Amino acid sequence: MSPRPARAREGEAELRLLAVLPAARKQGFGAALLAEGAKIATEWGAERLVLDTAQHNLRSQRLYVRFGFEHRPERDVHREPPKVPLAVFTLDLPYRPAAPGAGTESRDSAVV
């Protein structure tokens, strides 16, 4: 938890630093972490969950889109090298997981 979210706006919760060890990838851990973050943000009363990732990290971006996040290019963060530019994604809440067999699809800012 952080009192200083980097990307969240009013009514949003922010998921920060999501990572899965390379040996544990493709086993559903990333989606499970996203689902838990969405659940917690919903319990907090957030209207939206926000996160960012490196613009070149296409693997994570595919996961977020499959989960139901939408890329928000107007919120992307453009930074000078050696820092990498960031792509920002949001998920409207409450999150409702897709039915089995279907595709994977407080009012103050907070960090999950």
Side-chain angles (χ1 to χ4, degrees):
M1 183 90 63
S2 170
R4 297 173 47 140
R7 309 287 165 245
R9 297 177 177 170
E10 184 73 23
E12 295 179 336
E14 182 170 339
L15 185 59
R16 305 269 312 266
L17 303 174
L18 174 69
V20 176
L21 291 171
R25 292 183 183 152
K26 297 200 179 257
Q27 298 180 48
F29 294 119
L33 290 168
L34 290 173
E36 186 64 18
K39 177 182 168 231
I40 292 168
T42 298
E43 290 169 357
W44 288 352
E47 299 167 1
R48 194 171 301 103
L49 183 59
V50 63
L51 56 77
D52 62 37
T53 187
Q55 285 185 346
H56 69 269
N57 189 344
L58 300 179
R59 175 178 284 167
S60 68
Q61 292 179 33
R62 285 190 297 270
L63 169 65
Y64 303 148
V65 169
R66 279 195 310 273
F67 193 83
F69 280 83
E70 293 183 43
H71 180 214
R72 302 293 182 191
E74 71 280 4
R75 293 178 67 174
D76 285 355
V77 179
H78 305 284
R79 306 187 303 181
E80 295 297 318
K83 294 184 176 183
V84 299
L86 301 173
V88 177
F89 290 78
T90 63
L91 176 70
D92 289 337
L93 299 173
Y95 169 67
R96 291 181 178 80
T104 308
E105 312 274 340
S106 124
R107 296 277 185 226
D108 290 338
S109 298
V111 178
V112 177

